[in-house]
Structures are given as C-alpha cells and as structure tokens.
Amino acid sequence: MKHALNILLLILTLISCKNQSESKSELSIETAELSKEFSQPEIQQTDSIAEQWNFMVFEKGGCLGGTQYVTEKKRKIPTMVFSEKEWEKFAKNDKTELTEFLITKLSDTTKTKVHTCPFFGATNGEMAVYSLQHIHNKNWLEFSEFKEYKDREYGNATDQPQMWLQNILKNENERNKIAELYKNELKN
C-alpha cells in the first residue's frame, strides 16, 4: 500500500509539472504576441546633420585645446574635437546645409560636453561658431565688423575670446551679424 501511494504521488507530481510547463509556454506565446502588438517601431538611424551634431557636442564631447580657431598651419591633433573622425564626417555634409543648420544654433546657451582649454565648457552657440570657422576657413574675429576683438588683450579668465564670443551671441543684433557674415561667405 505504501508503494502504491508513492507511485500515485509521483504520477500526480509529473502531471502537475507537465501542466505547469504547458501553461508557461502558452503564457510565453501570449506575452510575445502582446509585445509585438504594443512594441515601439524601431528608430531608423539616419545620421542627419542634427544627429551628428548632437552626438559630437552633447554625447561625445572633448577638448578644443586651441583648435577652435583656424590658423594658416592646419594642426591635426588626434585627441582634439576638430581632428576626430566624427568631425570629419560632419564637415563632409553640404556646406550650405551645414551653415544654415549651425546658424540656427547661435542663440543656444546650452552647455555642451566640449571644453576650451584652459577655460570653460563651450555653449552650443559657441560650438556652432567654431564649426562655422572651420567650414568657412575664417574666424569670427577676422570679420571687419569684429576687428576690435582681434588684437584685444586678454584681461583674465572672464575677459578672453571665449567669453567675448558668448557675450556677442547673447546680443541678438551681434548674433544676427555673425549669421549674415557666414551666410555671405557661401557666396565667395
């Protein structure tokens, strides 16, 4: 009798496990079907100018190390922002499209992950100007409209080209002047 009871318990346990296994697999199938029904569509990576820009300045960041200004002698320092492969890819976009895109960023004072050694983190608008400088091979302070800044002496950490540019970009008239100057560069 004892063996018969053990056999009966064993059979009941096996049946119970089998039913549990079947209900788990049924549950898995139902869950998969619901997931498909409510899943988000996959986002396509288009590598648009805006996506490239956001990656470079807000995700990756880096150091300008003085390379924000265009010089006669092109310096390629692998660890600096304007020497990186992302910048090279970005700069290969259509010059007119890049210029128009960057001009829309001039008023943006959002801090980026790019810093200007030895000073401060760059704003989005400031990075747009530095990028325009490289695209057009002309620094903002080389325009006759801003010649007063070209030979100006640095006063201290808050009286230097980065801060001058940030203050110019805060002024709508001055900001529009920079935008027009770089738009006019497209005609040259």
Side-chain angles (χ1 to χ4, degrees):
M1 177 88 173
K2 189 175 179 184
H3 288 326
L5 191 57
N6 281 341
I7 293 173
L8 182 62
L9 284 173
L10 181 61
I11 293 172
L12 288 174
T13 304
L14 288 173
I15 291 172
S16 169
C17 288
K18 183 176 187 260
N19 287 341
Q20 206 173 31
S21 170
E22 285 175 0
S23 41
K24 278 185 182 176
S25 65
E26 287 172 9
L27 182 62
S28 297
I29 291 169
E30 287 176 24
T31 303
E33 287 172 358
L34 282 173
S35 294
K36 282 181 188 175
E37 190 175 323
F38 293 105
S39 69
Q40 298 288 335
E42 279 189 40
I43 297 173
Q44 296 291 322
Q45 183 68 1
T46 61
D47 275 346
S48 70
I49 289 173
E51 289 171 328
Q52 291 175 36
W53 178 258
N54 288 335
F55 176 76
M56 289 187 312
V57 300
F58 292 115
E59 291 179 41
K60 186 164 193 233
C63 180
L64 291 171
T67 62
Q68 64 266 38
Y69 294 103
V70 178
T71 59
E72 286 182 30
K73 183 180 179 191
K74 296 281 183 190
R75 297 185 301 166
K76 239 177 138 50
I77 304 167
T79 57
M80 300 299 148
V81 171
F82 289 111
S83 297
E84 293 178 340
K85 65 180 173 89
E86 291 85 4
W87 167 254
E88 291 174 6
K89 180 180 178 184
F90 180 77
K92 286 180 183 173
N93 285 296
D94 178 75
K95 193 174 186 175
T96 301
E97 287 180 34
L98 283 174
T99 301
E100 289 170 358
F101 170 79
L102 293 168
I103 285 172
T104 68
K105 302 296 176 198
L106 296 179
S107 64
D108 189 349
T109 58
T110 307
K111 291 287 182 194
T112 67
K113 286 189 174 183
V114 179
H115 65 279
T116 59
C117 286
F119 298 110
F120 310 101
T123 66
N124 201 20
E126 185 185 346
M127 278 306 299
V129 172
Y130 297 150
S131 299
L132 286 165
Q133 292 178 159
H134 281 268
I135 291 163
H136 293 282
N137 207 30
K138 187 168 187 173
N139 297 315
W140 68 271
L141 37 70
E142 292 173 5
F143 289 110
S144 61
E145 292 80 353
F146 296 103
K147 66 181 175 211
E148 67 187 86
Y149 295 97
K150 188 169 178 142
D151 296 319
R152 188 170 167 179
E153 295 286 325
Y154 292 29
N156 55 40
T158 58
D159 185 21
Q160 42 85 8
Q162 181 182 18
M163 292 296 110
W164 303 336
L165 178 58
Q166 286 185 9
N167 288 329
I168 287 168
L169 293 174
K170 288 176 187 173
N171 179 307
E172 185 178 5
N173 290 332
E174 297 295 293
R175 185 174 61 242
N176 288 339
K177 196 183 294 180
I178 285 182
E180 283 305 311
L181 291 166
Y182 279 110
K183 281 182 192 175
N184 290 336
E185 285 295 300
L186 287 169
K187 298 173 187 172
N188 296 335

